[in-house]
Amino acid sequence: MNLKYQMLKSSIVSILAFCLIVSVVLIPRQLELSIQDYKIVAEEPSLTLSQYTAHVSEFFKTAIENGSLGESRYSGHSSESEALKAMGRSLLVIVTALLIGLIFGILKGVMDYRLSKTRLNLLGNWTTWIINAIPDFFLILLIQWFIIKNVPFIRFFATDGWQGFIIPSLLVSIYPIVQIARLTSASLTSQENKLYIKLARAKGLREWVILCKHMLANGIITILTHLPGMLVFILSNLLMVEIYRSYPGAAYRLSQALDYDTQVGTGNNYEPGVIIYIVLYFMLLFLLVQWIAAAARRYFDRQ
């Protein structure tokens, strides 16, 4: 498939998804409250298309006039500055987790492949399978609980310094490591009886040369195909990790901006501007990773 077509297709899909999210974010959330029998009761909401269109038009009209999507809950801080600051913290975690997932995932996959031929297979593919079988949220919560209870010298709830981003990066990279390990091991196994591998061995090349120069080089395309999937795993776990640790990243700030209240739904500190900006940043990040994966696949296909 043409690279430009792939990029255009992913861009259009991302833009449509972003527009859909924005349309949901801008649904009016004002509640009409009344007192009935000494109780505060929320009236049944009613919304027509004309009311919704007028609300959206007014929102963007005000945004254009002021050059901003509005103020945040913190006085003197705009929505864009709050979203950008939070995204900067999360981006450090995401990029670190992607690198950890790729590097250690490939190394774990190679180890699984090599151990699958020995009696130590239990330490290879079996450990990968067991970790993959455990629900990600449960495993991450279990690891966090263990660190808090048994490793007191680690500043687990630190939001600054190297521990502030390394700990969440390691936590959200667990499942990307497992997925890349599975892909790498499966790719190496599928190539084992290929003619070019037999030819390389017949020439007397060392196993590590065959593994790195031929098998991993050919399997890298499969790994890069799943790069956007790695990002999805990271983002899905990022919210849980940031909220649990009160890490002031984009996922945590997004949950604040939603301001969900169990009594009346959306609270008074609902921040549509912050939500829109954070969703936009996540969309651009995901789109960039898709482009990088597509370009890398095309490059390695030509080799």
Side-chain angles (χ1 to χ4, degrees), residues 75-92:
S75 179
H77 295 266
S78 63
S79 297
E80 50 269 26
S81 65
E82 281 292 304
L84 188 61
K85 182 171 62 175
M87 190 63 194
R89 296 192 183 100
S90 287
L91 194 59
L92 188 61

Side-chain angles (χ1 to χ4, degrees), residues 79-274:
S79 297
E80 50 269 26
S81 65
E82 281 292 304
L84 188 61
K85 182 171 62 175
M87 190 63 194
R89 296 192 183 100
S90 287
L91 194 59
L92 188 61
V93 173
I94 293 168
V95 173
T96 305
L98 275 173
L99 292 175
I100 292 173
L102 272 174
I103 295 170
F104 287 94
I106 292 174
L107 291 175
K108 180 67 167 66
V110 172
M111 185 183 77
D112 291 353
Y113 167 72
R114 297 301 297 270
L115 292 179
S116 65
K117 302 178 181 180
T118 69
R119 295 178 180 179
L120 298 176
N121 188 35
L122 185 64
L123 301 176
N125 287 317
W126 276 94
T127 57
T128 302
W129 179 84
I130 290 171
I131 295 173
N132 189 63
I134 302 173
D136 51 355
F137 71 92
F138 177 75
L139 181 62
I140 292 175
L141 286 175
L142 189 63
I143 292 173
Q144 292 182 116
W145 173 83
F146 178 82
I147 293 173
I148 294 170
K149 288 289 186 180
N150 300 284
V151 195
F153 63 87
I154 292 181
R155 296 171 58 238
F156 183 79
F157 292 101
T159 58
D160 56 350
W162 66 270
Q163 290 173 320
F165 77 92
I166 284 294
I167 292 174
S169 298
L170 290 173
L171 288 171
V172 300
S173 67
I174 293 173
Y175 272 81
I177 289 175
V178 172
Q179 294 302 316
I180 293 299
R182 290 179 61 220
L183 290 170
T184 303
S185 179
S187 175
L188 295 177
T189 303
S190 67
Q191 297 179 64
E192 193 170 36
N193 295 317
K194 298 287 185 180
L195 184 59
Y196 59 88
I197 301 299
K198 293 181 178 179
L199 182 61
R201 285 173 177 154
K203 288 181 178 180
L205 292 178
R206 294 182 179 180
E207 280 296 322
W208 69 269
V209 175
I210 297 173
L211 183 66
C212 296
K213 188 175 180 181
H214 297 286
M215 301 177 77
L216 273 180
N218 291 325
I220 197 69
I221 299 175
T222 304
I223 296 172
L224 291 173
T225 302
H226 290 79
L227 197 59
M230 277 182 61
L231 182 61
V232 171
F233 271 107
I234 290 172
L235 295 181
S236 64
N237 290 317
L238 189 64
L239 177 62
M240 178 175 56
V241 171
E242 287 192 355
I243 289 179
Y244 188 83
R245 298 182 67 254
S246 296
Y247 181 77
Y252 176 74
R253 191 66 183 83
L254 183 63
S255 68
Q256 275 191 320
L258 290 171
D259 194 36
Y260 178 75
D261 186 281
T262 55
Q263 299 293 326
V264 295
T266 302
N268 294 324
N269 288 322
Y270 182 69
E271 302 166 285
V274 174

